[in-house]
Amino acid sequence: MRPDLRSGRPPSESVARPNIPALTGLRYLAAVHVVLTHTSAFAREWPVPIRHILDRGFVGVSLFFILSGFILAYTYLDTAGQTLRGNKKDFWVSRFARIYPLYVVGLLVAAPIFVHVIRTGLVSHPDALQALILTPMMLQAWSPTAALAWNSPAWSLSAEVFFYAMFPFVLGPLARIRGRKILWLMFGIWLVSLGLAASQAILMPDLLWQEFVIHVPATRIAEFIIGVLLGVGYVRFGWRPPSWSATASMIAIVAALALSPDFLPHSIISNALLVPLFCLLILGLTGMKGAPVRILSHPWFVVLGEASFAVYLLHIPLYRYYYNAGNSILPGFSESAGGILLFIVVVTSIAIAMYYFVEVPSRRVIRRSLLDKRHEPRSIHAR
């Protein structure tokens, strides 16, 4: 029997909630936006609004955090809408199997670069030692000076690990909040996140405090909690926006990035500015109508979405190798518009291969070895 998500009724304990393919496709767009930010040196010649859009792909991390909370709540909220489906061990093993194998691959790919930046003094020895100890344990985001030292995109996975550790304990209390109180709580958490970023920019504008606010998991859990509350509202109370909301929110997000002034602090843009629009976008993509839903739900886009984790995690070291190789053959090509487009094709192809030949097999081995399958709902591949 197919669960009736439109009515808000949860599925039976033996039937998992269906995938929401458009949200999988959305992850690829967010990952490519991050890639463009880290590779688009050519954008300096472009008009300011286009440059702002390309330069601010870091907001994709905020979208990832909200989306992660939403999907986990959607997947793991039990049939009574009260607590975690299954047990904590199964949840944590499933999350570990999902992210850690490719995380290790990313560290190995980035290891020669990490050694190079230490030898050339770009990373101090104390910071390198911190990174060497903390990064394999996925704890580096707690140290602003070590967070980006070894494969910089991996810092967000360090934050996700903290969110995963907290999720089984916060899901129940959050799921028992009723009605409009959820909206008020989401609004309050967003204001706190916005206030924290603004306070840092005004009172402690130096780079170290900015890195603290942007990277430390305790400051970024606000976005994840908002995502969990969004998922609770969707599953328990049938939140369904109009069919045009996905298109409208996408247009608003692009406009906000293009028109946001240069003086707006990085921490505000990164942590809080677009949270309400991201929430509306996620809900809008859960529907059945609208061009964004149809495009992002296409099987090819879903495959790209499945590969987005590898795109995000591997793009920095791979681009470093691509840049060096490209410049040795055709100077300047690697940072041209054509060179960036070719790199996106290359990194996407590698990411698809990594998904099918590393992520999926290693996940199965870990789950087969450690997971109690009687309690594990079918995953929809939340990060």
Side-chain angles (χ1 to χ4, degrees), residues 35-212:
V35 173
L36 286 172
T37 293
H38 291 149
T39 59
S40 59
F42 67 92
R44 299 300 175 267
E45 306 300 324
W46 287 33
V48 171
I50 302 298
R51 191 168 71 239
H52 280 179
I53 294 170
L54 294 176
D55 281 349
R56 293 172 176 177
F58 50 79
V59 300
V61 176
S62 182
L63 175 58
F64 284 139
F65 289 162
I66 299 169
L67 185 58
S68 178
F70 176 87
I71 292 179
L72 289 180
Y74 174 73
T75 304
Y76 285 95
L77 190 61
D78 72 352
T79 57
Q82 297 289 316
T83 189
L84 182 76
R85 178 188 296 185
N87 60 59
K88 297 182 183 69
K89 176 190 172 184
D90 287 351
F91 171 77
W92 287 325
V93 168
S94 178
R95 294 298 91 210
F96 175 81
R98 172 74 178 101
I99 66 173
Y100 198 70
L102 192 62
Y103 179 85
V104 172
V105 171
L107 296 187
L108 294 175
V109 172
I113 300 172
F114 182 46
V115 172
H116 174 75
V117 297
I118 295 172
R119 294 180 62 184
T120 56
L122 296 175
V123 173
S124 70
H125 287 177
D127 291 344
L129 180 60
Q130 281 190 64
L132 191 62
I133 295 172
L134 297 177
T135 305
M137 297 188 293
M138 306 186 81
L139 296 173
Q140 71 272 30
W142 293 96
S143 170
T145 59
L148 306 180
W150 185 357
N151 195 21
S152 56
W155 78 265
S156 65
L157 276 298
S158 178
E160 288 276 7
V161 165
F162 176 63
F163 304 160
Y164 295 159
M166 299 298 295
F167 178 75
F169 301 103
V170 303
L171 179 62
L174 294 177
R176 288 188 283 273
I177 300 172
R178 299 190 62 82
R180 294 183 179 178
K181 292 181 180 179
I182 294 180
L183 286 173
W184 282 112
L185 181 56
M186 291 171 68
F187 181 68
I189 294 172
W190 176 59
L191 287 183
V192 169
S193 180
L194 192 63
L196 178 63
S199 298
Q200 174 272 311
I202 295 169
L203 302 176
M204 297 172 288
D206 59 279
L207 182 60
L208 181 62
W209 281 107
Q210 177 179 283
E211 295 297 296
F212 182 92

Side-chain angles (χ1 to χ4, degrees), residues 26 36 70 89 179 195 198 265 269 289 293 305 334 355:
L26 176 64
L36 286 172
F70 176 87
K89 176 190 172 184
I269 301 174
K289 298 179 180 179
V293 175
S334 301
Y355 173 73

Side-chain angles (χ1 to χ4, degrees), residues 265-278:
H266 178 70
S267 53
I268 289 179
I269 301 174
S270 174
N271 291 35
L273 181 66
L274 299 179
V275 166
L277 291 176
F278 285 154

